């Protein structure tokens, strides 16, 4: 069996305050005070009435990623029959969010404990399911491939990119829409102990595509998915990347400012690569961080970056992913 080429990223979508393009993600100004995204203004209000904020943000970013990849028209608010330019059965959805529906779960539990299930609206109850984001995105855009929801801590976003690429590599789908999303609200602030104004509020979506399929339809490549490793620490991850460590990295996206500092708690990193962290720019992104890092790396490539980008996230465990510039980019 011939070896598959690495999946490509062929579309990106953002639903972030104060940001309209991936090339703007590396700007250092604090965007936490920017006006929040209104998903209804972006994708219309039809079908949003009973959706929680994380789902609404994810839908807005997902629509933009699908349109950017050329899978739906630019002005489409959803995928009605005939809207998709590819077979929806071959498009997976992988979503990452650790805190996305935490407010719904807590409010629903409190209502049941204080009264009974009779006080719970049947329209809002599905939002208490942990996979609501992934299923809502798939339903709205008629994506009938594998459907996964990851909620596994700081590495979740990079894990989601990896699982999207793995599904393509295994032949389970030709394309995977990967979404990272977290909302800002009082419940999340109370349970995490993070001040509300320091929380992330937004979504990032990327369309991963089988290389042969992308080339066959003439899709633009934004990046190539490289090696992935998940180990107890960064040193183990770097060892696990193998072939991807033979070429120097052009930029390193670290977990936070402390991890990005020389000799920081994440251990050894690429000595010569510029280091970038989103702490203090968009807020604590939790499960959305890894997908946000990928989008920022694509912005770096789009702005002229020509070497691979290293992405790292983690706490008790660390995940690393390498993104490479699109084939044909000048070196």
């Amino acid at each position: 069996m011939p070896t598959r080429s690495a999946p490509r990223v062929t579309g990106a979508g953002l639903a972030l305050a104060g940001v309209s393009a991936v090339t703007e993600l590396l700007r250092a100004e604090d965007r936490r005070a920017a006006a929040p995204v209104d998903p209804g203004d972006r994708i219309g209000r039809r079908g949003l009435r009973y959706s929680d904020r994380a789902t609404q943000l994810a839908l807005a970013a997902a629509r933009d990623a699908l349109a950017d990849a050329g899978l739906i028209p630019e002005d489409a608010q959803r995928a009605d029959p005939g809207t998709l330019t590819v077979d929806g059965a071959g498009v997976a959805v992988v979503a990452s969010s650790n805190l996305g529906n935490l407010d719904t779960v807590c409010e629903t539990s409190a209502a049941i404990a204080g009264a009974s299930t009779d006080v719970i609206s049947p329209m809002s109850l599905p939002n208490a399911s942990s996979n609501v984001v992934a299923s809502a995105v798939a339903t709205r855009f008629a994506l009938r491939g594998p459907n996964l929801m990851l909620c596994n801590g700081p590495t979740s976003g990079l894990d989601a990119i990896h699982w999207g690429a793995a599904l393509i590599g295994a032949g389970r789908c030709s394309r995977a829409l990967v979404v990272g999303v977290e909302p800002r609200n009082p419940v999340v602030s109370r349970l995490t102990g993070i001040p509300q104004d320091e929380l992330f509020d937004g979504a990032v979506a990327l369309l991963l595509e089988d290389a042969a399929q992308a080339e066959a339809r003439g899709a633009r490549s934004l990046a190539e998915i490289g090696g992935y490793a998940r180990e107890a620490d960064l040193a183990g991850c770097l060892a696990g990347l193998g072939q991807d460590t033979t070429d120097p990295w052009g930029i390193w996206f670290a977990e936070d400012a402390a991890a990005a500092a020389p000799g920081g708690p994440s251990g050894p990193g690429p000595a010569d690569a510029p280091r970038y962290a989103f702490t203090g720019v968009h807020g604590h992104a939790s499960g959305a961080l890894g997908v946000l890092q990928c989008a920022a790396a694509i912005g770096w490539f789009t702005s002229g970056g020509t070497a691979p980008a290293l992405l790292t996230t983690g706490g008790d465990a660390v995940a690393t992913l390498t993104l490479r510039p699109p084939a044909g980019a000048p070196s």
Side-chain angles (χ1 to χ4, degrees), residues 237-252:
C237 284
L238 295 177
L241 286 178
Q243 187 66 31
D244 272 7
T245 63
T246 59
D247 296 324
W249 287 290
I251 191 168
W252 174 23

Side-chain angles (χ1 to χ4, degrees), residues 270-302:
D272 299 326
R275 308 178 184 201
Y276 189 91
F278 285 107
T279 303
V281 177
H282 297 285
H284 294 269
S286 190
L289 178 59
V291 189
L292 176 66
Q293 290 176 332
C294 287
I298 290 168
W300 187 69
F301 296 148
T302 303

